[in-house]
Amino acid sequence: MKKLICADCVEKAAEQGQKVIYIDECTLITPSAKDAAAAEGIEFCCGEAPAPCCEEPAKAPCEAPAACEAPAGNGIDSNVIYNALKALLDNGMLDKVADICGQNIPYVSESSCDNVVKLVRGNSAQWLPLFEEGPLVDKVYYNELVNADDGSQINAGFITIDNCEFPWLTECQEMYYIVEGTLTIKKGNQTFVANAGDVMFFDKGADLTFGSPNKMKAFYATH
């Protein structure tokens, strides 16, 4: 079983004066936990050490963390709670996990101990509206999975466009791989139509019109 490290765990470690939280290959660290650790000056290191704040003493590796367990005396076993959270994670039901733990987690990911490898569980990612207001607020969504927070010079994620058009001026180089549906790109008096399996590339400063006659989903990378 994987061990979940959330922001509450980091905050408790900081209160106890910890500067290092020891993890292993079974540890799952939320993005909010990484942010909290950076703010508190706490490092994540692989290896054996006294149990971190969110792990019960004398538990075997990868046992349930205590951060999200119920208060003592209410008759609920912490292992039952952990197993329920693990089942939700495995089934991509991240919103329920976030509600239980009180965290706003954008997605579930796993990283190597030196943070050079990152695995994102795509079915756990939250979709955000690209436009905050106007008629397109519920028509265009994205979820960004890799960006500068990971030390990357590339931003990457997914975008969906649902039967609409909108102007788009590229501020960097952009590439789109069409996963499903149809992406239409207008440049001047030319129209380009990309279907599932096609790739579109745009140079910096391109003045375009993005659109889709159906519901399009694409993986994007920008640099």
Side-chain angles (χ1 to χ4, degrees):
M1 293 184 180
K2 293 187 180 296
K3 177 173 60 182
L4 179 67
I5 300 291
C6 57
D8 287 344
C9 301
V10 176
E11 291 173 1
K12 288 183 180 180
E15 291 174 359
Q16 295 173 7
Q18 287 183 236
K19 290 301 180 182
V20 177
I21 295 179
Y22 291 90
I23 60 176
D24 55 31
E25 67 276 6
C26 297
T27 304
L28 186 67
I29 305 173
T30 67
S32 59
K34 293 181 180 180
D35 292 340
E40 298 289 350
I42 294 177
E43 297 182 55
F44 295 105
C45 293
C46 289
E48 296 183 0
C53 67
C54 51
E55 184 177 40
E56 291 182 292
K59 290 283 187 180
C62 306
E63 270 292 343
C68 299
E69 70 179 41
N74 67 355
I76 300 178
D77 187 270
S78 62
N79 287 331
V80 174
I81 296 176
Y82 177 74
N83 289 333
L85 294 180
K86 181 64 168 58
L88 291 174
L89 281 171
D90 290 343
N91 286 281
M93 301 171 69
L94 181 64
D95 54 341
K96 291 183 174 59
V97 177
D99 288 342
I100 293 171
C101 292
Q103 302 293 321
N104 182 23
I105 304 173
Y107 52 77
V108 172
S109 66
E110 300 173 40
S111 300
S112 61
C113 296
D114 53 6
N115 291 320
V116 300
V117 176
K118 177 180 179 180
L119 169 63
V120 178
R121 301 298 179 185
N123 62 356
S124 71
Q126 296 179 3
W127 289 93
L128 303 173
L130 184 63
F131 301 100
E132 296 182 355
E133 57 184 21
L136 300 178
V137 69
D138 60 349
K139 292 288 187 178
V140 185
Y141 288 86
Y142 78 101
N143 56 37
E144 191 154 279
L145 309 180
V146 178
N147 54 35
D149 292 340
D150 303 298
S152 172
Q153 297 181 21
I154 298 173
N155 289 26
F158 288 92
I159 183 171
T160 62
I161 302 174
D162 189 1
N163 193 24
C164 65
E165 287 188 342
F166 56 91
W168 190 256
L169 178 64
T170 61
E171 298 180 354
C172 55
Q173 292 184 325
E174 302 182 4
M175 183 176 293
Y176 294 77
Y177 172 78
I178 315 306
V179 177
E180 58 188 42
T182 303
L183 173 64
T184 60
I185 301 296
K186 296 179 180 178
K187 177 69 171 69
N189 60 0
Q190 289 183 287
T191 298
F192 300 87
V193 179
N195 297 302
D198 293 339
V199 174
M200 296 288 296
F201 169 79
F202 315 114
D203 208 349
K204 180 179 179 180
D207 190 359
L208 310 168
T209 298
F210 271 50
S212 176
N214 43 48
K215 187 167 185 179
M216 187 281 308
K217 179 179 180 181
F219 176 80
Y220 72 84
T222 67
H223 181 265

